[in-house]
Amino acid sequence: MAGWMAWRVLGALAAAAVFAGPPARASDYPVRPVTLVVPFPAGGTTDVVARLLAERLTPGLGQQIVIENRGGASTTIGATVVANAQKDGYTLLLASASTFTTIPHVMKVRYTLADFEPISMVVKVPFAFVVKKDFPAKTLAEFRAHALARPTAVNNATNGPGSLVHLAGEVAARELGVKVTHVHYRGAAPATQDMMAGIVDSNVEALTNAVPNVQAGAYRALAVLSPQRLPQMPDVPTFAELGYPKVQAESWFAVLAPAGTPAEVTARLSAEIDKVVRSPDFAKRMEEIGNVAVPMSPAELKDFIAKESTLWGGVIREAGVKIEN
C-alpha cells in the first residue's frame, strides 16, 4: 500500500512538472511581481520616491512592483538583503546616497558596489537645514550664536549614523564652528516625527519632507545646502550666500540589482525606469515634493557613485567620523 501511494505521489509530481513547463527565460522577464527593497522604514523620503516610481513603472513592465521596507543599520540591512538575493531581476534595491558613498567609509558592511548591477538613477534630493518651530533662533547667525553659548546642548537629528544627512550635519557644524549632539534615527520618517514634536532641535532634511512641513508651520528652514536657492523655498538663503560655501550636499536615489543579473533583464529595467524618469509627469511630481528627476545610464551611474564615494570619503576622513559596529 505504501509503495502504491509513493508511486502516486511521484506520478503527481511528474505531471505537475510537465504542466509547469520550462523555467521562465530572461527574455520573458518579468513574469511575476518585482520586489523593490527600500532600506528605510515606511513614510520617509525614500519610501515616497519608491512608491511614486513603482506606480509608474508597473504599466511598462506589466507586473506589479511591490515595495518592501527593510530599514535599519544605516541602510545596510536592506542593501545586504538585495546583494544576496537571486540574480533574476525580481529583487531590486532603491539605494540612497548613504548606502555606497558614506556608510562603507565609517562602518563594516557586508557588500560592495561590485555586488550590484547599477540600473538607473531616479532622483537627486536637495537638503534644507531646519529647526523646530519654537527654537529661539530665527536665522542661521542666531543659530550659531545660540549653539556657541550652549556647547553640545543643541540636539541634531540624523537618518542614522554615517548617513549623508549625518555627514552633512557634521560639515555644517564644523563650518559654523559649533558643537551639536547628533541623535541618530532609523530613517527620515522617525526623525521628522520628532522634529514636528519638538523633541529634537535641528535636522538636515530632504526637501521631500521639509517643503510640506515648513509650509504647514511644523518647523522652520534656516538655510539650504544647494549652490543656489531652491524654487520650493525661494525665501530661504543658501549656506554659501551666508558665508559658508563648503556646506553643500544633496542625496540621490538609484535602482540597483544583484550583480550577475542577466543583461537582458537589466537592459529592460534600465529602459523602463528611464522612460519613467524622463516623463514630464514624473519630473513634475518630483519637483512638487522637492526632488529633481535625473536620468542616468547604468555606466554613468556606476561612475557617478564611484566619484561620490571618493568625495565623501575625503569629508569623512577630514571630519574624523567613525562608527563602532
Side-chain angles (χ1 to χ4, degrees):
M1 184 69 175
W4 178 77
M5 286 298 295
W7 279 111
R8 284 197 63 181
V9 171
L10 289 173
L13 290 174
V18 169
F19 286 110
R25 297 169 300 177
S27 58
D28 297 326
Y29 175 88
V31 296
R32 55 186 169 85
V34 176
T35 297
L36 181 61
V37 174
V38 175
F40 289 106
T45 304
T46 323
D47 193 56
V48 172
V49 172
R51 294 180 189 282
L52 290 172
L53 174 64
E55 178 184 312
R56 291 159 174 77
L57 191 56
T58 293
L61 286 177
Q63 291 288 340
Q64 182 182 4
I65 309 300
V66 180
I67 305 300
E68 181 177 327
N69 295 95
R70 297 293 292 266
S74 300
T75 79
T76 65
I77 291 177
T80 302
V81 166
V82 177
N84 294 312
Q86 292 292 318
K87 308 173 188 302
D88 55 10
Y90 289 97
T91 305
L92 309 174
L93 175 70
L94 183 65
S96 75
S98 301
T99 308
F100 295 105
T101 62
T102 63
I103 297 300
H105 293 288
V106 297
M107 60 189 292
K108 293 180 181 179
V109 296
R110 298 179 179 179
Y111 61 85
T112 68
L113 182 57
D115 294 318
F116 295 85
E117 296 282 355
I119 301 297
S120 178
M121 177 71 80
V122 180
V123 296
K124 290 187 177 181
V125 185
F127 286 132
F129 181 64
V130 300
V131 295
K132 62 183 182 182
K133 61 183 178 183
D134 59 351
F135 194 78
K138 299 295 189 296
T139 66
L140 192 64
E142 290 178 0
F143 176 89
R144 181 174 183 273
H146 180 92
L148 282 172
R150 302 162 182 81
T152 72
V154 175
N155 293 321
N156 181 74
T158 83
N159 291 5
S163 66
L164 190 59
V165 166
H166 175 205
L167 270 297
E170 289 275 10
V171 171
R174 183 190 66 196
E175 292 301 309
L176 290 171
V178 302
K179 293 185 179 297
V180 299
T181 298
H182 294 289
V183 181
H184 300 302
Y185 291 83
R186 287 172 56 88
T192 297
Q193 290 170 1
D194 276 6
M195 277 294 303
M196 296 174 70
I199 295 172
V200 286
D201 300 312
S202 64
N203 188 9
V204 173
E205 189 170 52
L207 252 64
T208 314
N209 286 339
V211 168
N213 290 322
V214 168
Q215 291 176 344
Y219 41 80
R220 294 178 283 110
L222 301 186
V224 295
L225 285 75
S226 301
Q228 297 86 29
R229 292 198 183 198
L230 300 170
Q232 298 87 352
M233 293 182 169
D235 298 327
V236 180
T238 67
F239 270 91
E241 67 184 278
L242 295 175
Y244 305 99
K246 292 184 179 180
V247 186
Q248 292 190 28
E250 63 181 2
S251 188
W252 46 265
F253 301 125
V255 176
L256 298 95
T261 300
E264 290 180 9
V265 172
T266 57
R268 174 77 191 282
L269 285 166
S270 179
E272 292 299 336
I273 294 173
D274 189 74
K275 289 178 187 177
V276 172
V277 174
R278 291 181 185 277
S279 68
D281 168 67
F282 187 76
K284 180 180 179 181
R285 188 69 185 96
M286 288 299 101
E287 183 179 355
E288 289 173 352
I289 62 176
N291 297 335
V292 181
V294 180
M296 197 176 287
S297 71
E300 290 170 334
L301 177 58
K302 185 176 183 178
D303 183 60
F304 173 80
I305 293 175
K307 289 179 179 178
E308 284 284 288
S309 179
T310 300
L311 169 66
W312 283 101
V315 170
I316 289 164
R317 287 191 295 273
E318 186 177 343
V321 177
K322 295 181 180 179
I323 299 173
E324 298 296 330
N325 69 318

